[in-house]
mmCIF file with all atom_site columns, all heavy atoms in Angstrom:
data_model
loop_
_atom_site.group_PDB
_atom_site.id
_atom_site.type_symbol
_atom_site.label_atom_id
_atom_site.label_alt_id
_atom_site.label_comp_id
_atom_site.label_asym_id
_atom_site.label_entity_id
_atom_site.label_seq_id
_atom_site.pdbx_PDB_ins_code
_atom_site.Cartn_x
_atom_site.Cartn_y
_atom_site.Cartn_z
_atom_site.occupancy
_atom_site.B_iso_or_equiv
_atom_site.pdbx_formal_charge
_atom_site.auth_seq_id
_atom_site.auth_comp_id
_atom_site.auth_asym_id
_atom_site.auth_atom_id
_atom_site.pdbx_PDB_model_num
ATOM 1   N N   . ASN A 1 1  ? 6.920   1.424   2.655   1.00 0.00 ? 1  ASN A N   1
ATOM 2   C CA  . ASN A 1 1  ? 6.176   1.628   3.900   1.00 0.00 ? 1  ASN A CA  1
ATOM 3   C C   . ASN A 1 1  ? 5.200   2.792   3.810   1.00 0.00 ? 1  ASN A C   1
ATOM 4   O O   . ASN A 1 1  ? 4.054   2.690   4.255   1.00 0.00 ? 1  ASN A O   1
ATOM 5   C CB  . ASN A 1 1  ? 7.150   1.855   5.068   1.00 0.00 ? 1  ASN A CB  1
ATOM 6   C CG  . ASN A 1 1  ? 7.738   0.551   5.583   1.00 0.00 ? 1  ASN A CG  1
ATOM 7   O OD1 . ASN A 1 1  ? 7.278   -0.528  5.251   1.00 0.00 ? 1  ASN A OD1 1
ATOM 8   N ND2 . ASN A 1 1  ? 8.770   0.659   6.392   1.00 0.00 ? 1  ASN A ND2 1
ATOM 9   N N   . SER A 1 2  ? 5.653   3.919   3.241   1.00 0.00 ? 2  SER A N   1
ATOM 10  C CA  . SER A 1 2  ? 4.767   5.089   3.190   1.00 0.00 ? 2  SER A CA  1
ATOM 11  C C   . SER A 1 2  ? 3.560   4.825   2.296   1.00 0.00 ? 2  SER A C   1
ATOM 12  O O   . SER A 1 2  ? 2.449   5.250   2.602   1.00 0.00 ? 2  SER A O   1
ATOM 13  C CB  . SER A 1 2  ? 5.529   6.332   2.733   1.00 0.00 ? 2  SER A CB  1
ATOM 14  O OG  . SER A 1 2  ? 6.084   6.138   1.452   1.00 0.00 ? 2  SER A OG  1
ATOM 15  N N   . GLY A 1 3  ? 3.767   4.118   1.180   1.00 0.00 ? 3  GLY A N   1
ATOM 16  C CA  . GLY A 1 3  ? 2.655   3.819   0.274   1.00 0.00 ? 3  GLY A CA  1
ATOM 17  C C   . GLY A 1 3  ? 1.642   2.882   0.897   1.00 0.00 ? 3  GLY A C   1
ATOM 18  O O   . GLY A 1 3  ? 0.427   3.114   0.816   1.00 0.00 ? 3  GLY A O   1
ATOM 19  N N   . VAL A 1 4  ? 2.123   1.820   1.523   1.00 0.00 ? 4  VAL A N   1
ATOM 20  C CA  . VAL A 1 4  ? 1.214   0.838   2.129   1.00 0.00 ? 4  VAL A CA  1
ATOM 21  C C   . VAL A 1 4  ? 0.509   1.449   3.343   1.00 0.00 ? 4  VAL A C   1
ATOM 22  O O   . VAL A 1 4  ? -0.694  1.229   3.543   1.00 0.00 ? 4  VAL A O   1
ATOM 23  C CB  . VAL A 1 4  ? 1.977   -0.454  2.489   1.00 0.00 ? 4  VAL A CB  1
ATOM 24  C CG1 . VAL A 1 4  ? 1.085   -1.412  3.272   1.00 0.00 ? 4  VAL A CG1 1
ATOM 25  C CG2 . VAL A 1 4  ? 2.483   -1.135  1.219   1.00 0.00 ? 4  VAL A CG2 1
ATOM 26  N N   . GLU A 1 5  ? 1.234   2.234   4.139   1.00 0.00 ? 5  GLU A N   1
ATOM 27  C CA  . GLU A 1 5  ? 0.588   2.914   5.270   1.00 0.00 ? 5  GLU A CA  1
ATOM 28  C C   . GLU A 1 5  ? -0.496  3.866   4.783   1.00 0.00 ? 5  GLU A C   1
ATOM 29  O O   . GLU A 1 5  ? -1.581  3.946   5.379   1.00 0.00 ? 5  GLU A O   1
ATOM 30  C CB  . GLU A 1 5  ? 1.626   3.688   6.086   1.00 0.00 ? 5  GLU A CB  1
ATOM 31  C CG  . GLU A 1 5  ? 2.494   2.807   6.971   1.00 0.00 ? 5  GLU A CG  1
ATOM 32  C CD  . GLU A 1 5  ? 3.566   3.597   7.709   1.00 0.00 ? 5  GLU A CD  1
ATOM 33  O OE1 . GLU A 1 5  ? 3.698   4.803   7.453   1.00 0.00 ? 5  GLU A OE1 1
ATOM 34  O OE2 . GLU A 1 5  ? 4.251   3.000   8.542   1.00 0.00 ? 5  GLU A OE2 1
ATOM 35  N N   . ALA A 1 6  ? -0.216  4.567   3.690   1.00 0.00 ? 6  ALA A N   1
ATOM 36  C CA  . ALA A 1 6  ? -1.215  5.482   3.127   1.00 0.00 ? 6  ALA A CA  1
ATOM 37  C C   . ALA A 1 6  ? -2.447  4.712   2.674   1.00 0.00 ? 6  ALA A C   1
ATOM 38  O O   . ALA A 1 6  ? -3.584  5.134   2.920   1.00 0.00 ? 6  ALA A O   1
ATOM 39  C CB  . ALA A 1 6  ? -0.610  6.260   1.958   1.00 0.00 ? 6  ALA A CB  1
ATOM 40  N N   . ALA A 1 7  ? -2.228  3.583   2.013   1.00 0.00 ? 7  ALA A N   1
ATOM 41  C CA  . ALA A 1 7  ? -3.355  2.771   1.525   1.00 0.00 ? 7  ALA A CA  1
ATOM 42  C C   . ALA A 1 7  ? -4.203  2.266   2.687   1.00 0.00 ? 7  ALA A C   1
ATOM 43  O O   . ALA A 1 7  ? -5.442  2.271   2.620   1.00 0.00 ? 7  ALA A O   1
ATOM 44  C CB  . ALA A 1 7  ? -2.826  1.604   0.688   1.00 0.00 ? 7  ALA A CB  1
ATOM 45  N N   . ILE A 1 8  ? -3.546  1.844   3.766   1.00 0.00 ? 8  ILE A N   1
ATOM 46  C CA  . ILE A 1 8  ? -4.268  1.359   4.945   1.00 0.00 ? 8  ILE A CA  1
ATOM 47  C C   . ILE A 1 8  ? -5.106  2.481   5.556   1.00 0.00 ? 8  ILE A C   1
ATOM 48  O O   . ILE A 1 8  ? -6.289  2.313   5.869   1.00 0.00 ? 8  ILE A O   1
ATOM 49  C CB  . ILE A 1 8  ? -3.278  0.786   5.983   1.00 0.00 ? 8  ILE A CB  1
ATOM 50  C CG1 . ILE A 1 8  ? -2.655  -0.503  5.460   1.00 0.00 ? 8  ILE A CG1 1
ATOM 51  C CG2 . ILE A 1 8  ? -3.979  0.543   7.322   1.00 0.00 ? 8  ILE A CG2 1
ATOM 52  C CD1 . ILE A 1 8  ? -1.451  -0.984  6.266   1.00 0.00 ? 8  ILE A CD1 1
ATOM 53  N N   . ASP A 1 9  ? -4.484  3.649   5.716   1.00 0.00 ? 9  ASP A N   1
ATOM 54  C CA  . ASP A 1 9  ? -5.202  4.793   6.298   1.00 0.00 ? 9  ASP A CA  1
ATOM 55  C C   . ASP A 1 9  ? -6.376  5.213   5.426   1.00 0.00 ? 9  ASP A C   1
ATOM 56  O O   . ASP A 1 9  ? -7.476  5.479   5.923   1.00 0.00 ? 9  ASP A O   1
ATOM 57  C CB  . ASP A 1 9  ? -4.249  5.976   6.486   1.00 0.00 ? 9  ASP A CB  1
ATOM 58  C CG  . ASP A 1 9  ? -3.216  5.732   7.580   1.00 0.00 ? 9  ASP A CG  1
ATOM 59  O OD1 . ASP A 1 9  ? -3.420  4.783   8.376   1.00 0.00 ? 9  ASP A OD1 1
ATOM 60  O OD2 . ASP A 1 9  ? -2.215  6.465   7.627   1.00 0.00 ? 9  ASP A OD2 1
ATOM 61  N N   . LEU A 1 10 ? -6.133  5.293   4.111   1.00 0.00 ? 10 LEU A N   1
ATOM 62  C CA  . LEU A 1 10 ? -7.177  5.741   3.191   1.00 0.00 ? 10 LEU A CA  1
ATOM 63  C C   . LEU A 1 10 ? -8.332  4.752   3.114   1.00 0.00 ? 10 LEU A C   1
ATOM 64  O O   . LEU A 1 10 ? -9.492  5.154   2.924   1.00 0.00 ? 10 LEU A O   1
ATOM 65  C CB  . LEU A 1 10 ? -6.582  5.963   1.797   1.00 0.00 ? 10 LEU A CB  1
ATOM 66  C CG  . LEU A 1 10 ? -5.668  7.186   1.659   1.00 0.00 ? 10 LEU A CG  1
ATOM 67  C CD1 . LEU A 1 10 ? -4.857  7.109   0.365   1.00 0.00 ? 10 LEU A CD1 1
ATOM 68  C CD2 . LEU A 1 10 ? -6.485  8.469   1.696   1.00 0.00 ? 10 LEU A CD2 1
ATOM 69  N N   . ALA A 1 11 ? -8.040  3.466   3.285   1.00 0.00 ? 11 ALA A N   1
ATOM 70  C CA  . ALA A 1 11 ? -9.084  2.445   3.205   1.00 0.00 ? 11 ALA A CA  1
ATOM 71  C C   . ALA A 1 11 ? -10.176 2.656   4.249   1.00 0.00 ? 11 ALA A C   1
ATOM 72  O O   . ALA A 1 11 ? -11.319 2.245   4.058   1.00 0.00 ? 11 ALA A O   1
ATOM 73  C CB  . ALA A 1 11 ? -8.480  1.053   3.346   1.00 0.00 ? 11 ALA A CB  1
ATOM 74  N N   . GLY A 1 12 ? -9.815  3.338   5.351   1.00 0.00 ? 12 GLY A N   1
ATOM 75  C CA  . GLY A 1 12 ? -10.806 3.624   6.380   1.00 0.00 ? 12 GLY A CA  1
ATOM 76  C C   . GLY A 1 12 ? -11.674 4.832   6.061   1.00 0.00 ? 12 GLY A C   1
ATOM 77  O O   . GLY A 1 12 ? -12.618 5.122   6.790   1.00 0.00 ? 12 GLY A O   1
ATOM 78  N N   . ILE A 1 13 ? -11.353 5.533   4.972   1.00 0.00 ? 13 ILE A N   1
ATOM 79  C CA  . ILE A 1 13 ? -12.077 6.759   4.616   1.00 0.00 ? 13 ILE A CA  1
ATOM 80  C C   . ILE A 1 13 ? -12.807 6.624   3.289   1.00 0.00 ? 13 ILE A C   1
ATOM 81  O O   . ILE A 1 13 ? -13.970 6.992   3.161   1.00 0.00 ? 13 ILE A O   1
ATOM 82  C CB  . ILE A 1 13 ? -11.080 7.953   4.512   1.00 0.00 ? 13 ILE A CB  1
ATOM 83  C CG1 . ILE A 1 13 ? -10.325 8.162   5.823   1.00 0.00 ? 13 ILE A CG1 1
ATOM 84  C CG2 . ILE A 1 13 ? -11.807 9.228   4.089   1.00 0.00 ? 13 ILE A CG2 1
ATOM 85  C CD1 . ILE A 1 13 ? -9.168  9.146   5.706   1.00 0.00 ? 13 ILE A CD1 1
ATOM 86  N N   . VAL A 1 14 ? -12.093 6.070   2.296   1.00 0.00 ? 14 VAL A N   1
ATOM 87  C CA  . VAL A 1 14 ? -12.606 6.075   0.926   1.00 0.00 ? 14 VAL A CA  1
ATOM 88  C C   . VAL A 1 14 ? -13.366 4.783   0.618   1.00 0.00 ? 14 VAL A C   1
ATOM 89  O O   . VAL A 1 14 ? -13.369 3.837   1.409   1.00 0.00 ? 14 VAL A O   1
ATOM 90  C CB  . VAL A 1 14 ? -11.454 6.262   -0.088  1.00 0.00 ? 14 VAL A CB  1
ATOM 91  C CG1 . VAL A 1 14 ? -10.670 7.536   0.218   1.00 0.00 ? 14 VAL A CG1 1
ATOM 92  C CG2 . VAL A 1 14 ? -10.524 5.052   -0.104  1.00 0.00 ? 14 VAL A CG2 1
ATOM 93  N N   . GLU A 1 15 ? -13.985 4.760   -0.569  1.00 0.00 ? 15 GLU A N   1
ATOM 94  C CA  . GLU A 1 15 ? -14.733 3.557   -0.964  1.00 0.00 ? 15 GLU A CA  1
ATOM 95  C C   . GLU A 1 15 ? -13.789 2.408   -1.296  1.00 0.00 ? 15 GLU A C   1
ATOM 96  O O   . GLU A 1 15 ? -13.988 1.274   -0.877  1.00 0.00 ? 15 GLU A O   1
ATOM 97  C CB  . GLU A 1 15 ? -15.606 3.862   -2.190  1.00 0.00 ? 15 GLU A CB  1
ATOM 98  C CG  . GLU A 1 15 ? -16.418 2.661   -2.652  1.00 0.00 ? 15 GLU A CG  1
ATOM 99  C CD  . GLU A 1 15 ? -17.067 2.889   -4.007  1.00 0.00 ? 15 GLU A CD  1
ATOM 100 O OE1 . GLU A 1 15 ? -17.334 4.054   -4.362  1.00 0.00 ? 15 GLU A OE1 1
ATOM 101 O OE2 . GLU A 1 15 ? -17.325 1.894   -4.710  1.00 0.00 ? 15 GLU A OE2 1
ATOM 102 N N   . HIS A 1 16 ? -12.727 2.717   -2.068  1.00 0.00 ? 16 HIS A N   1
ATOM 103 C CA  . HIS A 1 16 ? -11.804 1.661   -2.501  1.00 0.00 ? 16 HIS A CA  1
ATOM 104 C C   . HIS A 1 16 ? -10.435 2.250   -2.786  1.00 0.00 ? 16 HIS A C   1
ATOM 105 O O   . HIS A 1 16 ? -10.321 3.374   -3.290  1.00 0.00 ? 16 HIS A O   1
ATOM 106 C CB  . HIS A 1 16 ? -12.344 0.971   -3.763  1.00 0.00 ? 16 HIS A CB  1
ATOM 107 C CG  . HIS A 1 16 ? -11.546 -0.241  -4.151  1.00 0.00 ? 16 HIS A CG  1
ATOM 108 N ND1 . HIS A 1 16 ? -10.433 -0.156  -4.965  1.00 0.00 ? 16 HIS A ND1 1
ATOM 109 C CD2 . HIS A 1 16 ? -11.672 -1.550  -3.821  1.00 0.00 ? 16 HIS A CD2 1
ATOM 110 C CE1 . HIS A 1 16 ? -9.916  -1.373  -5.115  1.00 0.00 ? 16 HIS A CE1 1
ATOM 111 N NE2 . HIS A 1 16 ? -10.654 -2.238  -4.436  1.00 0.00 ? 16 HIS A NE2 1
ATOM 112 N N   . VAL A 1 17 ? -9.380  1.494   -2.447  1.00 0.00 ? 17 VAL A N   1
ATOM 113 C CA  . VAL A 1 17 ? -7.999  1.911   -2.697  1.00 0.00 ? 17 VAL A CA  1
ATOM 114 C C   . VAL A 1 17 ? -7.323  0.884   -3.602  1.00 0.00 ? 17 VAL A C   1
ATOM 115 O O   . VAL A 1 17 ? -7.340  -0.317  -3.311  1.00 0.00 ? 17 VAL A O   1
ATOM 116 C CB  . VAL A 1 17 ? -7.180  2.017   -1.390  1.00 0.00 ? 17 VAL A CB  1
ATOM 117 C CG1 . VAL A 1 17 ? -5.745  2.444   -1.704  1.00 0.00 ? 17 VAL A CG1 1
ATOM 118 C CG2 . VAL A 1 17 ? -7.819  2.978   -0.420  1.00 0.00 ? 17 VAL A CG2 1
ATOM 119 N N   . THR A 1 18 ? -6.713  1.370   -4.685  1.00 0.00 ? 18 THR A N   1
ATOM 120 C CA  . THR A 1 18 ? -5.886  0.531   -5.541  1.00 0.00 ? 18 THR A CA  1
ATOM 121 C C   . THR A 1 18 ? -4.441  0.953   -5.346  1.00 0.00 ? 18 THR A C   1
ATOM 122 O O   . THR A 1 18 ? -4.090  2.108   -5.596  1.00 0.00 ? 18 THR A O   1
ATOM 123 C CB  . THR A 1 18 ? -6.263  0.683   -7.028  1.00 0.00 ? 18 THR A CB  1
ATOM 124 O OG1 . THR A 1 18 ? -7.633  0.313   -7.207  1.00 0.00 ? 18 THR A OG1 1
ATOM 125 C CG2 . THR A 1 18 ? -5.391  -0.199  -7.909  1.00 0.00 ? 18 THR A CG2 1
ATOM 126 N N   . LEU A 1 19 ? -3.603  0.038   -4.880  1.00 0.00 ? 19 LEU A N   1
ATOM 127 C CA  . LEU A 1 19 ? -2.187  0.345   -4.714  1.00 0.00 ? 19 LEU A CA  1
ATOM 128 C C   . LEU A 1 19 ? -1.435  -0.123  -5.961  1.00 0.00 ? 19 LEU A C   1
ATOM 129 O O   . LEU A 1 19 ? -1.568  -1.279  -6.387  1.00 0.00 ? 19 LEU A O   1
ATOM 130 C CB  . LEU A 1 19 ? -1.618  -0.332  -3.470  1.00 0.00 ? 19 LEU A CB  1
ATOM 131 C CG  . LEU A 1 19 ? -0.185  0.077   -3.132  1.00 0.00 ? 19 LEU A CG  1
ATOM 132 C CD1 . LEU A 1 19 ? -0.006  0.274   -1.639  1.00 0.00 ? 19 LEU A CD1 1
ATOM 133 C CD2 . LEU A 1 19 ? 0.828   -0.941  -3.627  1.00 0.00 ? 19 LEU A CD2 1
ATOM 134 N N   . VAL A 1 20 ? -0.667  0.775   -6.556  1.00 0.00 ? 20 VAL A N   1
ATOM 135 C CA  . VAL A 1 20 ? 0.060   0.469   -7.793  1.00 0.00 ? 20 VAL A CA  1
ATOM 136 C C   . VAL A 1 20 ? 1.558   0.493   -7.495  1.00 0.00 ? 20 VAL A C   1
ATOM 137 O O   . VAL A 1 20 ? 2.095   1.498   -7.048  1.00 0.00 ? 20 VAL A O   1
ATOM 138 C CB  . VAL A 1 20 ? -0.280  1.498   -8.906  1.00 0.00 ? 20 VAL A CB  1
ATOM 139 C CG1 . VAL A 1 20 ? 0.481   1.178   -10.185 1.00 0.00 ? 20 VAL A CG1 1
ATOM 140 C CG2 . VAL A 1 20 ? -1.788  1.534   -9.163  1.00 0.00 ? 20 VAL A CG2 1
ATOM 141 N N   . GLU A 1 21 ? 2.223   -0.634  -7.753  1.00 0.00 ? 21 GLU A N   1
ATOM 142 C CA  . GLU A 1 21 ? 3.655   -0.768  -7.472  1.00 0.00 ? 21 GLU A CA  1
ATOM 143 C C   . GLU A 1 21 ? 4.411   -1.124  -8.757  1.00 0.00 ? 21 GLU A C   1
ATOM 144 O O   . GLU A 1 21 ? 3.998   -2.009  -9.503  1.00 0.00 ? 21 GLU A O   1
ATOM 145 C CB  . GLU A 1 21 ? 3.884   -1.841  -6.404  1.00 0.00 ? 21 GLU A CB  1
ATOM 146 C CG  . GLU A 1 21 ? 5.315   -2.325  -6.242  1.00 0.00 ? 21 GLU A CG  1
ATOM 147 C CD  . GLU A 1 21 ? 6.301   -1.206  -5.936  1.00 0.00 ? 21 GLU A CD  1
ATOM 148 O OE1 . GLU A 1 21 ? 5.969   -0.273  -5.179  1.00 0.00 ? 21 GLU A OE1 1
ATOM 149 O OE2 . GLU A 1 21 ? 7.419   -1.269  -6.466  1.00 0.00 ? 21 GLU A OE2 1
ATOM 150 N N   . PHE A 1 22 ? 5.522   -0.434  -8.997  1.00 0.00 ? 22 PHE A N   1
ATOM 151 C CA  . PHE A 1 22 ? 6.348   -0.648  -10.187 1.00 0.00 ? 22 PHE A CA  1
ATOM 152 C C   . PHE A 1 22 ? 7.048   -2.009  -10.148 1.00 0.00 ? 22 PHE A C   1
ATOM 153 O O   . PHE A 1 22 ? 7.179   -2.691  -11.168 1.00 0.00 ? 22 PHE A O   1
ATOM 154 C CB  . PHE A 1 22 ? 7.394   0.478   -10.281 1.00 0.00 ? 22 PHE A CB  1
ATOM 155 C CG  . PHE A 1 22 ? 8.308   0.377   -11.460 1.00 0.00 ? 22 PHE A CG  1
ATOM 156 C CD1 . PHE A 1 22 ? 7.909   0.830   -12.709 1.00 0.00 ? 22 PHE A CD1 1
ATOM 157 C CD2 . PHE A 1 22 ? 9.592   -0.149  -11.315 1.00 0.00 ? 22 PHE A CD2 1
ATOM 158 C CE1 . PHE A 1 22 ? 8.764   0.736   -13.799 1.00 0.00 ? 22 PHE A CE1 1
ATOM 159 C CE2 . PHE A 1 22 ? 10.448  -0.237  -12.394 1.00 0.00 ? 22 PHE A CE2 1
ATOM 160 C CZ  . PHE A 1 22 ? 10.032  0.206   -13.643 1.00 0.00 ? 22 PHE A CZ  1
ATOM 161 N N   . ASP A 1 23 ? 7.484   -2.428  -8.968  1.00 0.00 ? 23 ASP A N   1
ATOM 162 C CA  . ASP A 1 23 ? 8.238   -3.676  -8.813  1.00 0.00 ? 23 ASP A CA  1
ATOM 163 C C   . ASP A 1 23 ? 7.296   -4.883  -8.826  1.00 0.00 ? 23 ASP A C   1
ATOM 164 O O   . ASP A 1 23 ? 6.075   -4.744  -8.824  1.00 0.00 ? 23 ASP A O   1
ATOM 165 C CB  . ASP A 1 23 ? 9.023   -3.621  -7.493  1.00 0.00 ? 23 ASP A CB  1
ATOM 166 C CG  . ASP A 1 23 ? 10.254  -4.516  -7.518  1.00 0.00 ? 23 ASP A CG  1
ATOM 167 O OD1 . ASP A 1 23 ? 10.381  -5.345  -8.435  1.00 0.00 ? 23 ASP A OD1 1
ATOM 168 O OD2 . ASP A 1 23 ? 11.089  -4.393  -6.599  1.00 0.00 ? 23 ASP A OD2 1
ATOM 169 N N   . THR A 1 24 ? 7.898   -6.068  -8.796  1.00 0.00 ? 24 THR A N   1
ATOM 170 C CA  . THR A 1 24 ? 7.096   -7.299  -8.777  1.00 0.00 ? 24 THR A CA  1
ATOM 171 C C   . THR A 1 24 ? 6.715   -7.701  -7.360  1.00 0.00 ? 24 THR A C   1
ATOM 172 O O   . THR A 1 24 ? 6.049   -8.714  -7.165  1.00 0.00 ? 24 THR A O   1
ATOM 173 C CB  . THR A 1 24 ? 7.878   -8.453  -9.434  1.00 0.00 ? 24 THR A CB  1
ATOM 174 O OG1 . THR A 1 24 ? 9.153   -8.558  -8.798  1.00 0.00 ? 24 THR A OG1 1
ATOM 175 C CG2 . THR A 1 24 ? 8.078   -8.189  -10.929 1.00 0.00 ? 24 THR A CG2 1
ATOM 176 N N   . LYS A 1 25 ? 7.172   -6.921  -6.373  1.00 0.00 ? 25 LYS A N   1
ATOM 177 C CA  . LYS A 1 25 ? 6.802   -7.200  -4.977  1.00 0.00 ? 25 LYS A CA  1
ATOM 178 C C   . LYS A 1 25 ? 6.739   -5.891  -4.210  1.00 0.00 ? 25 LYS A C   1
ATOM 179 O O   . LYS A 1 25 ? 7.345   -4.893  -4.609  1.00 0.00 ? 25 LYS A O   1
ATOM 180 C CB  . LYS A 1 25 ? 7.803   -8.149  -4.324  1.00 0.00 ? 25 LYS A CB  1
ATOM 181 C CG  . LYS A 1 25 ? 9.229   -7.606  -4.284  1.00 0.00 ? 25 LYS A CG  1
ATOM 182 C CD  . LYS A 1 25 ? 10.188  -8.633  -3.705  1.00 0.00 ? 25 LYS A CD  1
ATOM 183 C CE  . LYS A 1 25 ? 11.609  -8.094  -3.576  1.00 0.00 ? 25 LYS A CE  1
ATOM 184 N NZ  . LYS A 1 25 ? 12.201  -7.695  -4.859  1.00 0.00 ? 25 LYS A NZ  1
ATOM 185 N N   . LEU A 1 26 ? 5.992   -5.926  -3.114  1.00 0.00 ? 26 LEU A N   1
ATOM 186 C CA  . LEU A 1 26 ? 5.927   -4.759  -2.241  1.00 0.00 ? 26 LEU A CA  1
ATOM 187 C C   . LEU A 1 26 ? 7.185   -4.720  -1.374  1.00 0.00 ? 26 LEU A C   1
ATOM 188 O O   . LEU A 1 26 ? 7.718   -5.763  -0.993  1.00 0.00 ? 26 LEU A O   1
ATOM 189 C CB  . LEU A 1 26 ? 4.677   -4.823  -1.355  1.00 0.00 ? 26 LEU A CB  1
ATOM 190 C CG  . LEU A 1 26 ? 3.327   -4.830  -2.074  1.00 0.00 ? 26 LEU A CG  1
ATOM 191 C CD1 . LEU A 1 26 ? 2.191   -4.906  -1.054  1.00 0.00 ? 26 LEU A CD1 1
ATOM 192 C CD2 . LEU A 1 26 ? 3.161   -3.614  -2.962  1.00 0.00 ? 26 LEU A CD2 1
ATOM 193 N N   . ARG A 1 27 ? 7.652   -3.518  -1.055  1.00 0.00 ? 27 ARG A N   1
ATOM 194 C CA  . ARG A 1 27 ? 8.860   -3.362  -0.242  1.00 0.00 ? 27 ARG A CA  1
ATOM 195 C C   . ARG A 1 27 ? 8.533   -3.021  1.208   1.00 0.00 ? 27 ARG A C   1
ATOM 196 O O   . ARG A 1 27 ? 9.432   -2.927  2.031   1.00 0.00 ? 27 ARG A O   1
ATOM 197 C CB  . ARG A 1 27 ? 9.754   -2.271  -0.854  1.00 0.00 ? 27 ARG A CB  1
ATOM 198 C CG  . ARG A 1 27 ? 10.394  -2.683  -2.164  1.00 0.00 ? 27 ARG A CG  1
ATOM 199 C CD  . ARG A 1 27 ? 10.944  -1.508  -2.943  1.00 0.00 ? 27 ARG A CD  1
ATOM 200 N NE  . ARG A 1 27 ? 9.852   -0.727  -3.544  1.00 0.00 ? 27 ARG A NE  1
ATOM 201 C CZ  . ARG A 1 27 ? 9.514   0.495   -3.163  1.00 0.00 ? 27 ARG A CZ  1
ATOM 202 N NH1 . ARG A 1 27 ? 10.156  1.094   -2.197  1.00 0.00 ? 27 ARG A NH1 1
ATOM 203 N NH2 . ARG A 1 27 ? 8.521   1.124   -3.750  1.00 0.00 ? 27 ARG A NH2 1
ATOM 204 N N   . ALA A 1 28 ? 7.270   -2.846  1.501   1.00 0.00 ? 28 ALA A N   1
ATOM 205 C CA  . ALA A 1 28 ? 6.865   -2.476  2.863   1.00 0.00 ? 28 ALA A CA  1
ATOM 206 C C   . ALA A 1 28 ? 7.108   -3.622  3.842   1.00 0.00 ? 28 ALA A C   1
ATOM 207 O O   . ALA A 1 28 ? 7.200   -4.796  3.439   1.00 0.00 ? 28 ALA A O   1
ATOM 208 C CB  . ALA A 1 28 ? 5.392   -2.084  2.874   1.00 0.00 ? 28 ALA A CB  1
ATOM 209 N N   . ASP A 1 29 ? 7.191   -3.277  5.125   1.00 0.00 ? 29 ASP A N   1
ATOM 210 C CA  . ASP A 1 29 ? 7.339   -4.295  6.169   1.00 0.00 ? 29 ASP A CA  1
ATOM 211 C C   . ASP A 1 29 ? 6.186   -5.296  6.076   1.00 0.00 ? 29 ASP A C   1
ATOM 212 O O   . ASP A 1 29 ? 5.042   -4.919  5.770   1.00 0.00 ? 29 ASP A O   1
ATOM 213 C CB  . ASP A 1 29 ? 7.333   -3.645  7.554   1.00 0.00 ? 29 ASP A CB  1
ATOM 214 C CG  . ASP A 1 29 ? 8.525   -2.704  7.756   1.00 0.00 ? 29 ASP A CG  1
ATOM 215 O OD1 . ASP A 1 29 ? 9.503   -2.813  6.991   1.00 0.00 ? 29 ASP A OD1 1
ATOM 216 O OD2 . ASP A 1 29 ? 8.452   -1.858  8.670   1.00 0.00 ? 29 ASP A OD2 1
ATOM 217 N N   . GLN A 1 30 ? 6.480   -6.552  6.401   1.00 0.00 ? 30 GLN A N   1
ATOM 218 C CA  . GLN A 1 30 ? 5.494   -7.618  6.238   1.00 0.00 ? 30 GLN A CA  1
ATOM 219 C C   . GLN A 1 30 ? 4.230   -7.368  7.067   1.00 0.00 ? 30 GLN A C   1
ATOM 220 O O   . GLN A 1 30 ? 3.122   -7.651  6.623   1.00 0.00 ? 30 GLN A O   1
ATOM 221 C CB  . GLN A 1 30 ? 6.102   -8.973  6.612   1.00 0.00 ? 30 GLN A CB  1
ATOM 222 C CG  . GLN A 1 30 ? 5.250   -10.159 6.181   1.00 0.00 ? 30 GLN A CG  1
ATOM 223 C CD  . GLN A 1 30 ? 5.011   -10.222 4.678   1.00 0.00 ? 30 GLN A CD  1
ATOM 224 O OE1 . GLN A 1 30 ? 5.946   -10.110 3.891   1.00 0.00 ? 30 GLN A OE1 1
ATOM 225 N NE2 . GLN A 1 30 ? 3.757   -10.377 4.268   1.00 0.00 ? 30 GLN A NE2 1
ATOM 226 N N   . VAL A 1 31 ? 4.397   -6.798  8.265   1.00 0.00 ? 31 VAL A N   1
ATOM 227 C CA  . VAL A 1 31 ? 3.234   -6.546  9.114   1.00 0.00 ? 31 VAL A CA  1
ATOM 228 C C   . VAL A 1 31 ? 2.275   -5.560  8.434   1.00 0.00 ? 31 VAL A C   1
ATOM 229 O O   . VAL A 1 31 ? 1.042   -5.698  8.541   1.00 0.00 ? 31 VAL A O   1
ATOM 230 C CB  . VAL A 1 31 ? 3.664   -6.039  10.516  1.00 0.00 ? 31 VAL A CB  1
ATOM 231 C CG1 . VAL A 1 31 ? 4.352   -4.682  10.430  1.00 0.00 ? 31 VAL A CG1 1
ATOM 232 C CG2 . VAL A 1 31 ? 2.480   -5.978  11.464  1.00 0.00 ? 31 VAL A CG2 1
ATOM 233 N N   . LEU A 1 32 ? 2.823   -4.597  7.703   1.00 0.00 ? 32 LEU A N   1
ATOM 234 C CA  . LEU A 1 32 ? 1.982   -3.647  6.970   1.00 0.00 ? 32 LEU A CA  1
ATOM 235 C C   . LEU A 1 32 ? 1.315   -4.330  5.783   1.00 0.00 ? 32 LEU A C   1
ATOM 236 O O   . LEU A 1 32 ? 0.139   -4.093  5.499   1.00 0.00 ? 32 LEU A O   1
ATOM 237 C CB  . LEU A 1 32 ? 2.819   -2.452  6.500   1.00 0.00 ? 32 LEU A CB  1
ATOM 238 C CG  . LEU A 1 32 ? 3.346   -1.524  7.588   1.00 0.00 ? 32 LEU A CG  1
ATOM 239 C CD1 . LEU A 1 32 ? 4.295   -0.489  6.990   1.00 0.00 ? 32 LEU A CD1 1
ATOM 240 C CD2 . LEU A 1 32 ? 2.199   -0.832  8.309   1.00 0.00 ? 32 LEU A CD2 1
#
């Protein structure tokens, strides 16, 4: 959740966000 929320917030500021996850799926809530 914290990683995906950070990516969402940063996307409104920066040019581009790349989210890097160790697992084969994201663990954040589906709505995020």
